[in-house]
Amino acid sequence: MDKRLFTHPLPLKSVRITDGFWGNYQRKVLNEVIPYQWEALNDRVPGADRSGCIRNFEIAAGRAAGEHIGWVFQDSDLAKWLEAAAYALVLRPDPDLERRMDETIELICEAQQPDGYLDTYYIITGLDKRFTNLQDHHELYCFGHMTEAAVAYYYATGKDALLQAMIRYADCIDRCIGPEPGKLRGYPGHEEAELALIRLYGITHDEKHLRLAKYFIDERGQSPLYFEEEGRRNGNRFYWRDTHYRYHYYQAGMPVRAQRNADGHAVRAMYLLCGVADIARVTGDESLLDTAEALWKSVARRQMYITGAIGSSHVGEAFTFDYDLPNDTVYGETCAAIGLVFFARRMLELRPRAEYADVMERALYNGVISGMSLDGKRFFYVNPLEVVPEACEKDEGKRHVKPERQKWFGCACCPPNIARLLGSVSQYMLTAREGAIYVHLYIGAELDASLNGQPLSLRLNSGFPWQGRAELTVVSGSASGRIALRVPGWCRYYTLRVNGRPADAPTEDGYLLLDRDWQPGDAVTLDFDMPVTRMAADPRVREDTGKVAVTRGPVVYCLEEKDNGGSLHLLRLPRDAAFEIHDEPELLDGVTVLTAKGLRRSAAWAAEGLYAPAEACEEAAQTLTFIPYYAWANRGVGEMCVWVREA
Amino acid sequence: MDKRLFTHPLPLKSVRITDGFWGNYQRKVLNEVIPYQWEALNDRVPGADRSGCIRNFEIAAGRAAGEHIGWVFQDSDLAKWLEAAAYALVLRPDPDLERRMDETIELICEAQQPDGYLDTYYIITGLDKRFTNLQDHHELYCFGHMTEAAVAYYYATGKDALLQAMIRYADCIDRCIGPEPGKLRGYPGHEEAELALIRLYGITHDEKHLRLAKYFIDERGQSPLYFEEEGRRNGNRFYWRDTHYRYHYYQAGMPVRAQRNADGHAVRAMYLLCGVADIARVTGDESLLDTAEALWKSVARRQMYITGAIGSSHVGEAFTFDYDLPNDTVYGETCAAIGLVFFARRMLELRPRAEYADVMERALYNGVISGMSLDGKRFFYVNPLEVVPEACEKDEGKRHVKPERQKWFGCACCPPNIARLLGSVSQYMLTAREGAIYVHLYIGAELDASLNGQPLSLRLNSGFPWQGRAELTVVSGSASGRIALRVPGWCRYYTLRVNGRPADAPTEDGYLLLDRDWQPGDAVTLDFDMPVTRMAADPRVREDTGKVAVTRGPVVYCLEEKDNGGSLHLLRLPRDAAFEIHDEPELLDGVTVLTAKGLRRSAAWAAEGLYAPAEACEEAAQTLTFIPYYAWANRGVGEMCVWVREA
């Protein structure tokens, strides 16, 4: 493992997104999501579940009296909002927002205890109980999110009040938890602190932060199991006793380095793997890299939906087993798809490989943004690939699936998580090292980069996801080195032009390698062929047998009742059906719609009962209209499906 | 409604089963199930869940000290065993068994309280709480089952100790519960007392028993809702608050006569409908008949699996909604299919219609007996139509589905329920009235019947379910009147012979009507064509789209991994595949196996990831081997499916 080959995202302020598609999403974050979620955190959204988040901090700070409201991890909602808002300040300076954030940070610091402890649940309900239920009570998870917020705010504004507070909290944790005698030999029941400590370490370079993160990874799942001891000592409940997961739910069923299959709670798994990859990067630890790669394969090659959704079971919000990907009972939590993007970016930092970027792109354009309505005001927790609204209401096994996005959740992890990812999408589009820039996602942007120490201003124009053209131009600066451009996995044919002339370039791990003396005005043009593609699933995926999913470029399509009528299971897409491509700038914020000559099986049924001798089924021609999956459920309640019968 | 047209089963002792198929099952009940379950009730089965059933009666009778063991409805396991054992005494006199039953009945009577109350849960835990949780605590359900046992034992032996005890208990209930001032205006949370009271009324002709049963039906679901009041008064929990079912779980979501859709707990629904049909029969109440007919249609025409399984949701063991019949997450409780048989027989008593008998036959030959292993020692609670063993272990949404039958259950309602049904299968094969005998099921038997007051001994020989020939012979006696013979719904062609000569007869509601002066030696021969049939489901059943189920006569077939290899989802049965029929007397206690030239889709997958552009799928010829569904899971653990892809 040659650490010199590792890459890193550009600083936040060095990338200005100009992209039509993602710029639109960022505007939603700025104009809708962040103000809306601020209202939600302050319990001012009529009809939405009460958050209590700010209120808890006011009580903890002694500004108000009352009882703790919401979940034990309620603080994390504010943390994720702060992180998202920090990215927003970079996207568009906003003194009002910044002032509100400063005031909030002041409130947070006021709630902090003299020894650095900072978690409103225990500050309000009794500090004597703190760190007595690391398994389920999320203190270290909240610490992690608030640390990520502190880091983001520091990078956005240079202000370090929250950063210093979190350093003090890290010290407090380090005094209480660890392998040394007299400390609790525990670790987080919900991962997040690990990756946050590495982000903190990126600023502080304090070995203590790295050591603590590494300890959390290494201690996890060791025998005797801390959570068992903790449970016995403190009488904690063990919710997962009678399930298949047991301690795998917490990613503590075995030592991390011994894991080869992703199991248990999907978000926990993703956050853990981010920490694993981060520490592998910082320390060069080969065994952690092996673990990260093995678990990547377990997730991306054996347990991922075509939308990038992961975690197929509602119970435990968890993985089940290889190739088990039911479309209707799926969980596919928005946060898990977001976590997969986080993990993919970290794998790209370790080694630019198109597989990581392909999955990152798949999740971003599909299973992540499906979590938010086009108006930025409603959210899905669960992202199904097949929905029959009546089943969501009347079949208890599908009641976790909602046919409409919700305003806010009692457990509101997903909405601010989307906001912070969309606000920082620049951190996912490219990574760089000394002599190379790797473009992973074709997102229009202006970039202040450098190659071998020479500054280089670049402009990336992109028609993604609707057109396959992307153009990279050197705006200013001269530098010698490599610009590597990803060839998306969905693309079979492309043309490369350099300064208008057809060019050829070697590829490595799915990236075109352009090694060159770059001069102002240099332009690289890529035309990726983006045909409509009928995708099949690995035959081991039982639920997709005999079906296809329609994709074009990075976008997965679906059928909605709105366009195709109900009883979508009666529709069929014959193997030879040709597609038409329609740009619909007025529809669903502007999408490309696909149509094909399909068939609808007759619903006529002469028999009195449910079963009768099979007869040749009659089918009538029907135009099938496919819309992008991410945009479903924005035009009222109805059926939806991604996988369509082929025969 | 002409009550003179109602029919009734023959007395237990008037039918001697000689049938190969059902005789074999009855021998299992006699030789295995009843002795085995007696051991289970006495906690003497190693490795099985503890029953505590007899022990509870010993404690309640003051013969032993200790705490109540098991569920609040534990008594009903003994009741069902007693009922089954009573039928066993009729099938084969057994002085040892009868002595053991008498001793047990003595124990039960000893536990009875001076005022007639008889429920070990409250006798042991505190009588002051009795009747405080009619919603969930099953006292009236246990009363009902013990009453059925008392009736059966009375008919079997003429002994009335238990019958008198239950009459006293009925008096006690009548003093405590009812519409009169000072009584609790409640009704059973789990139906069963209704039908049992009507069975009791059949002996006592005491209007009090009919009145109480009728009250339970009429009060149920009335507003204000008794269970709400009871819950408020006694602080009872309401488990179904946050579900779709709510009070429909108990069949109390609305007044019974207003119901038009079967909803909520499936067994409760079936037992309720038995009571509804019984009271309609006894009282001639048209509105109850309408309700029974409407709910029959709701179940049999819109919510029933092809195996006769009902109740598609694990949560609440309940119905979901019309045409929602998932094969892999199904519940399909054995007791619910048994309840459907009970209900069907009662509908046949009201009006002989082939639809009722078709469903009864479907459930009996498939979804009922699938609940028991061929050795009579292990039982399914859940009867799925598609099983992947790994999913039963690792997908929490399918963990209720077991790939192997279990020895005994903590909640052991199903095993003794199968035993009592199989032991009394004679009560389902035919019903009669003054001038007519209706043969519903072709089960070999010797019958002491009568027509218009003239005794008539009949013999029925049958090759069912493997051959379609049935022969009815007059052994002795002469009588004039109608013998009506059902033409099964699965049969398109049949030949009728009377005394060896081709004959013709009118049909009504699916029955051949033979009106004749019957003389000794008269023989009616029916040859029902019994081809292998590929069945389709109503197109509204999403889960069966593009698939067929293979049936022959009354038997539904399935594919098992044992015969066909794993990954059954890759198999396909082309539309033109011809079947071969193989009689296998040594296999699975003797079955007819079907084979067809099918195809197996290649599991080869060149792509690294889970999804790739669809290509023409390669299929290789494979002989598909179908075994009767009821016999699955008797040769080790493996995949199974009923519905097979056709295209």
Side-chain angles (χ1 to χ4, degrees):
Chain A
M1 196 153 63
D2 186 348
K3 290 172 74 169
R4 288 168 305 178
L5 296 180
F6 292 168
T7 63
H8 312 275
L10 298 193
L12 268 176
K13 294 181 175 177
S14 301
V15 187
R16 291 170 298 283
I17 301 291
T18 58
D19 193 69
F21 189 84
W22 293 106
N24 184 26
Y25 270 100
Q26 291 195 329
R27 275 189 296 280
K28 284 176 211 171
V29 169
L30 294 172
N31 297 337
E32 300 296 338
V33 184
I34 288 177
Y36 179 86
Q37 295 186 350
W38 176 251
E39 294 304 297
L41 293 170
N42 283 278
D43 306 326
R44 292 192 294 249
V45 176
D49 286 347
R50 188 175 185 193
S51 159
C53 202
I54 296 293
R55 183 73 182 163
N56 288 336
F57 276 97
E58 289 171 349
I59 297 167
R63 294 188 193 177
E67 297 193 344
H68 182 270
I69 297 161
W71 297 88
V72 290
F73 48 83
Q74 210 73 357
D75 291 0
S76 65
D77 288 350
L78 176 59
K80 281 188 270 188
W81 180 84
L82 281 171
E83 187 185 345
Y87 301 138
L89 291 181
V90 176
L91 298 177
R92 186 175 73 191
D94 181 339
D96 277 352
L97 176 61
E98 189 169 334
R99 183 183 42 71
R100 214 185 309 146
M101 292 175 74
D102 286 334
E103 289 166 6
T104 305
I105 288 167
E106 204 178 307
L107 171 65
I108 293 168
C109 292
E110 227 174 283
Q112 189 167 36
Q113 301 298 295
D115 70 349
Y117 185 82
L118 182 47
D119 187 290
T120 70
Y121 179 76
Y122 283 106
I123 294 173
I124 296 172
T125 63
L127 283 165
D128 54 317
K129 293 281 185 210
R130 74 184 196 178
F131 301 140
T132 56
N133 191 341
L134 296 183
Q135 177 181 275
D136 285 312
H137 279 192
H138 289 72
E139 285 153 295
L140 301 174
Y141 170 83
C142 290
F143 158 78
H145 274 304
M146 199 58 88
T147 299
E148 286 208 272
V151 168
Y153 197 63
Y154 174 73
Y155 283 131
T157 65
K159 298 179 195 169
D160 71 349
L162 189 57
L163 189 73
Q164 294 303 332
M166 296 321 291
I167 290 172
R168 287 193 297 277
Y169 192 10
D171 285 341
C172 166
I173 292 168
D174 185 51
R175 282 194 303 275
C176 298
I177 299 173
E180 296 83 7
K183 296 186 184 179
L184 298 168
R185 199 164 177 138
Y187 40 84
H190 195 315
E191 292 77 353
E192 162 66 18
E194 301 81 355
L195 73 90
L197 281 163
I198 300 299
R199 291 190 75 178
L200 190 61
Y201 174 75
I203 297 173
T204 64
H205 302 293
D206 183 339
E207 286 301 319
K208 191 196 306 175
H209 298 145
L210 172 60
R211 184 172 43 73
L212 191 56
K214 200 168 162 306
Y215 160 77
F216 284 157
I217 299 286
D218 284 328
E219 187 63 22
R220 175 175 299 284
Q222 298 293 348
S223 187
L225 199 73
Y226 182 76
F227 293 151
E228 278 189 353
E229 292 185 350
E230 183 189 65
R232 267 195 300 273
R233 195 164 56 234
N234 303 320
N236 300 338
R237 280 186 58 188
F238 178 34
Y239 299 94
W240 309 100
R241 183 179 306 281
D242 296 324
T243 65
H244 163 62
Y245 319 119
R246 296 187 52 87
Y247 292 103
H248 285 292
Y249 173 83
Y250 305 100
Q251 310 297 316
M254 60 171 69
V256 174
R257 289 170 205 262
Q259 277 193 47
R260 284 299 173 269
N261 293 301
D263 205 348
H265 190 265
V267 173
R268 282 173 169 81
M270 290 305 101
Y271 287 9
L272 169 63
L273 291 171
C274 287
V276 168
D278 280 341
I279 295 173
R281 176 175 53 76
V282 171
T283 63
D285 185 325
E286 295 269 1
S287 141
L288 284 180
L289 179 63
D290 285 352
T291 297
E293 283 185 339
L295 291 171
W296 171 271
K297 285 176 192 159
S298 170
V299 174
R301 297 190 186 179
R302 304 198 298 272
Q303 300 199 75
M304 181 186 71
Y305 289 88
I306 195 168
T307 57
I310 55 173
S312 61
S313 174
H314 163 49
V315 180
E317 308 175 310
F319 294 107
T320 55
F321 59 100
D322 291 353
Y323 309 105
D324 181 50
L325 296 164
N327 295 303
D328 53 351
T329 58
V330 51
Y331 201 62
E333 184 181 341
T334 305
C335 284
I338 290 171
L340 182 56
V341 172
F342 294 163
F343 180 31
R345 208 280 310 286
R346 282 160 170 90
M347 293 307 284
L348 285 167
E349 292 181 60
L350 289 165
R351 181 176 166 198
R353 286 189 65 205
E355 180 183 359
Y356 303 134
D358 283 341
V359 166
M360 189 168 77
E361 184 187 68
R362 180 185 292 286
L364 271 171
Y365 282 98
N366 302 287
V368 168
I369 55 175
S370 61
M372 188 169 82
S373 64
L374 293 175
D375 65 8
K377 289 182 179 171
R378 289 169 176 263
F379 301 88
F380 275 138
Y381 212 105
V382 172
N383 293 276
L385 283 79
E386 180 181 321
V387 170
V388 173
E390 192 172 14
C392 303
E393 181 195 344
K394 297 181 179 175
D395 176 350
E396 293 294 324
K398 296 185 184 121
R399 281 192 92 191
H400 59 285
V401 178
K402 304 293 178 202
E404 310 181 83
R405 294 179 184 81
Q406 312 287 303
K407 273 187 173 174
W408 190 255
F409 306 93
C411 173
C413 56
C414 300
N417 228 356
I418 292 192
R420 69 186 184 123
L421 174 57
L422 294 177
S424 61
V425 77
S426 67
Q427 301 297 290
Y428 301 86
M429 66 174 287
L430 81 170
T431 56
R433 56 177 162 81
E434 179 71 10
I437 296 168
Y438 283 83
V439 177
H440 309 302
L441 300 174
Y442 294 97
I443 295 176
E446 296 168 352
L447 310 160
D448 300 328
S450 70
L451 271 179
N452 290 312
Q454 300 299 311
L456 203 62
S457 283
L458 301 168
R459 177 193 304 276
L460 180 59
N461 288 326
S462 162
F464 276 45
W466 314 120
Q467 284 94 37
R469 164 163 293 205
E471 192 174 36
L472 186 72
T473 317
V474 178
V475 178
S476 64
S478 301
S480 178
R482 168 174 295 179
I483 295 183
L485 297 158
R486 167 176 162 259
V487 180
W490 44 260
C491 177
R492 290 194 179 186
Y493 308 103
Y494 61 88
T495 54
L496 168 67
R497 281 190 173 73
V498 177
N499 295 333
R501 280 181 297 275
D504 216 1
T507 61
E508 186 180 75
D509 284 341
Y511 287 80
L512 281 163
L513 305 181
L514 302 176
D515 295 310
R516 190 181 163 92
D517 293 323
W518 298 95
Q519 299 297 333
D522 276 355
V524 179
T525 309
L526 278 160
D527 276 295
F528 296 110
D529 190 30
M530 200 183 261
V532 181
T533 307
R534 306 148 53 88
M535 299 290 281
D538 185 311
R540 286 167 286 198
V541 182
R542 293 186 310 282
E543 307 271 351
D544 301 338
T545 312
K547 296 181 174 180
V548 292
V550 174
T551 64
R552 182 168 175 266
V555 176
V556 175
Y557 280 77
C558 71
L559 294 169
E560 267 202 315
E561 180 171 351
K562 176 87 176 175
D563 305 304
N564 301 285
S567 297
L568 296 179
H569 66 279
L570 296 177
L571 298 179
R572 188 160 79 79
L573 179 67
R575 293 212 172 94
D576 56 359
F579 283 91
E580 288 183 22
I581 299 170
H582 313 265
D583 291 326
E584 298 278 3
E586 300 304 317
L587 183 69
L588 297 165
D589 276 11
V591 292
T592 295
V593 164
L594 310 175
T595 57
K597 284 202 169 55
L599 294 166
R600 176 179 280 271
R601 184 176 177 153
S602 165
W605 184 247
E608 205 168 55
L610 277 166
Y611 308 100
E615 293 174 6
C617 62
E618 287 186 26
E619 294 183 311
Q622 178 179 327
T623 298
L624 304 187
T625 301
F626 295 84
I627 64 157
Y629 168 74
Y630 73 80
W632 87 278
N634 277 288
R635 295 174 296 166
V637 172
E639 289 185 32
M640 181 277 292
C641 71
V642 169
W643 292 94
V644 193
R645 275 189 310 124
E646 189 182 57
Chain B
M1 195 152 66
D2 185 347
K3 290 172 76 169
R4 289 170 304 179
L5 296 179
F6 292 167
T7 62
H8 312 276
L10 298 193
L12 268 176
K13 294 181 176 177
S14 301
V15 187
R16 290 170 298 284
I17 301 292
T18 58
D19 193 67
F21 189 84
W22 293 105
N24 183 28
Y25 269 101
Q26 291 194 329
R27 274 188 297 279
K28 285 177 211 172
V29 168
L30 294 174
N31 298 336
E32 301 294 339
V33 184
I34 288 178
Y36 179 86
Q37 295 186 351
W38 176 252
E39 295 304 297
L41 293 170
N42 283 279
D43 305 327
R44 291 192 294 250
V45 176
D49 287 347
R50 186 174 186 193
S51 160
C53 202
I54 296 293
R55 183 75 183 164
N56 288 337
F57 277 98
E58 288 171 346
I59 298 167
R63 294 191 194 174
E67 298 193 342
H68 182 270
I69 296 161
W71 297 88
V72 290
F73 48 82
Q74 209 73 357
D75 292 359
S76 65
D77 288 349
L78 176 60
K80 280 188 271 188
W81 180 83
L82 281 171
E83 186 184 346
Y87 300 138
L89 291 181
V90 177
L91 297 178
R92 186 176 72 191
D94 181 339
D96 277 352
L97 176 61
E98 189 169 334
R99 183 183 43 73
R100 213 184 310 147
M101 293 176 72
D102 286 333
E103 288 167 6
T104 306
I105 288 167
E106 204 178 307
L107 171 66
I108 294 168
C109 292
E110 226 175 283
Q112 189 168 35
Q113 301 298 295
D115 70 349
Y117 185 81
L118 181 46
D119 187 290
T120 70
Y121 179 77
Y122 283 106
I123 294 173
I124 296 172
T125 63
L127 283 164
D128 55 316
K129 292 282 184 209
R130 73 184 198 180
F131 301 140
T132 57
N133 192 341
L134 295 183
Q135 177 179 275
D136 286 313
H137 279 191
H138 289 71
E139 285 153 293
L140 302 174
Y141 169 83
C142 291
F143 158 78
H145 274 304
M146 199 59 87
T147 299
E148 286 208 273
V151 168
Y153 196 64
Y154 174 72
Y155 282 132
T157 65
K159 298 179 194 169
D160 72 348
L162 189 57
L163 190 73
Q164 294 303 332
M166 297 320 293
I167 290 172
R168 287 194 298 276
Y169 192 11
D171 285 341
C172 166
I173 292 168
D174 187 51
R175 283 194 303 275
C176 298
I177 300 172
E180 296 83 8
K183 296 186 185 179
L184 297 168
R185 199 164 176 139
Y187 39 85
H190 194 315
E191 292 76 353
E192 161 67 17
E194 302 81 355
L195 73 90
L197 282 163
I198 299 300
R199 290 191 75 177
L200 190 61
Y201 174 76
I203 297 172
T204 64
H205 302 293
D206 183 341
E207 287 300 318
K208 191 196 305 173
H209 299 147
L210 172 60
R211 184 173 41 74
L212 190 57
K214 199 167 164 307
Y215 159 77
F216 284 157
I217 299 285
D218 283 328
E219 186 63 21
R220 175 172 300 283
Q222 298 292 348
S223 188
L225 199 73
Y226 181 75
F227 294 150
E228 279 188 352
E229 293 186 347
E230 182 190 65
R232 267 195 301 273
R233 195 163 57 233
N234 304 321
N236 301 338
R237 282 186 58 188
F238 178 33
Y239 299 94
W240 308 100
R241 183 179 306 282
D242 296 324
T243 65
H244 162 62
Y245 319 119
R246 294 186 54 85
Y247 292 104
H248 285 291
Y249 172 83
Y250 306 99
Q251 310 296 318
M254 60 171 68
V256 173
R257 289 169 205 264
Q259 278 193 48
R260 284 300 174 268
N261 292 303
D263 206 348
H265 190 263
V267 173
R268 281 173 169 81
M270 290 306 100
Y271 288 9
L272 169 63
L273 290 170
C274 287
V276 168
D278 280 340
I279 295 173
R281 176 176 52 77
V282 171
T283 64
D285 184 325
E286 295 267 2
S287 143
L288 284 181
L289 179 62
D290 284 352
T291 297
E293 282 185 340
L295 291 171
W296 171 271
K297 285 176 191 158
S298 171
V299 174
R301 297 190 186 179
R302 303 198 298 272
Q303 302 199 74
M304 180 185 71
Y305 289 88
I306 194 168
T307 57
I310 54 173
S312 62
S313 173
H314 163 50
V315 180
E317 308 174 309
F319 294 106
T320 55
F321 59 100
D322 290 354
Y323 310 105
D324 181 50
L325 296 165
N327 296 304
D328 54 351
T329 57
V330 50
Y331 202 62
E333 185 181 340
T334 305
C335 284
I338 290 170
L340 182 57
V341 172
F342 294 163
F343 180 32
R345 208 280 311 283
R346 283 160 171 89
M347 294 306 285
L348 285 168
E349 292 180 61
L350 290 164
R351 180 174 165 200
R353 284 190 68 206
E355 181 184 359
Y356 303 135
D358 283 341
V359 166
M360 188 167 77
E361 183 186 67
R362 180 186 293 287
L364 270 173
Y365 281 98
N366 302 286
V368 168
I369 53 174
S370 61
M372 187 169 81
S373 64
L374 292 177
D375 64 7
K377 291 182 177 170
R378 288 169 177 265
F379 300 89
F380 275 138
Y381 213 104
V382 171
N383 294 277
L385 283 78
E386 180 182 320
V387 169
V388 173
E390 191 173 14
C392 302
E393 180 195 347
K394 297 182 178 174
D395 177 350
E396 293 294 324
K398 296 184 185 123
R399 278 193 93 191
H400 59 286
V401 178
K402 303 295 177 203
E404 311 180 81
R405 295 179 182 83
Q406 313 285 304
K407 273 187 174 175
W408 191 255
F409 306 93
C411 174
C413 56
C414 299
N417 228 355
I418 292 192
R420 69 187 184 123
L421 174 57
L422 293 177
S424 62
V425 77
S426 66
Q427 302 297 290
Y428 301 86
M429 66 174 287
L430 81 169
T431 57
R433 55 178 161 82
E434 179 72 9
I437 296 168
Y438 283 82
V439 177
H440 308 302
L441 300 174
Y442 293 98
I443 295 177
E446 296 169 353
L447 310 160
D448 300 327
S450 70
L451 272 178
N452 290 312
Q454 300 300 311
L456 205 61
S457 283
L458 300 169
R459 177 194 304 278
L460 180 59
N461 288 326
S462 161
F464 275 46
W466 314 120
Q467 283 95 37
R469 165 164 291 205
E471 192 175 34
L472 186 72
T473 317
V474 178
V475 177
S476 64
S478 301
S480 180
R482 169 174 295 179
I483 295 182
L485 297 157
R486 167 176 163 257
V487 180
W490 45 260
C491 177
R492 291 194 179 186
Y493 308 104
Y494 60 90
T495 56
L496 168 68
R497 282 188 172 76
V498 177
N499 295 332
R501 280 182 296 277
D504 216 1
T507 62
E508 186 180 76
D509 285 340
Y511 287 78
L512 280 163
L513 306 181
L514 302 176
D515 295 310
R516 190 181 164 90
D517 293 323
W518 298 94
Q519 299 298 331
D522 275 356
V524 179
T525 309
L526 278 160
D527 276 294
F528 297 110
D529 191 29
M530 198 183 263
V532 181
T533 308
R534 306 148 52 87
M535 299 290 282
D538 186 311
R540 286 168 285 197
V541 182
R542 294 186 310 283
E543 307 272 352
D544 301 337
T545 314
K547 296 181 175 181
V548 291
V550 174
T551 63
R552 181 166 176 268
V555 177
V556 175
Y557 280 76
C558 71
L559 293 170
E560 267 202 315
E561 181 171 348
K562 175 87 176 173
D563 304 305
N564 300 284
S567 296
L568 296 178
H569 65 279
L570 295 177
L571 298 179
R572 188 160 80 79
L573 179 68
R575 292 210 174 96
D576 55 359
F579 283 90
E580 289 182 23
I581 299 171
H582 313 266
D583 291 326
E584 298 277 3
E586 300 304 316
L587 184 69
L588 296 166
D589 276 9
V591 292
T592 295
V593 164
L594 309 176
T595 58
K597 284 201 170 53
L599 294 166
R600 176 179 279 271
R601 185 176 176 155
S602 166
W605 185 248
E608 205 168 54
L610 277 166
Y611 308 100
E615 293 174 8
C617 62
E618 288 185 25
E619 293 182 312
Q622 177 179 327
T623 298
L624 304 188
T625 300
F626 295 83
I627 64 158
Y629 168 74
Y630 72 79
W632 87 277
N634 277 289
R635 295 174 296 166
V637 172
E639 289 185 31
M640 183 277 291
C641 73
V642 168
W643 292 94
V644 192
R645 275 189 308 123
E646 187 182 56

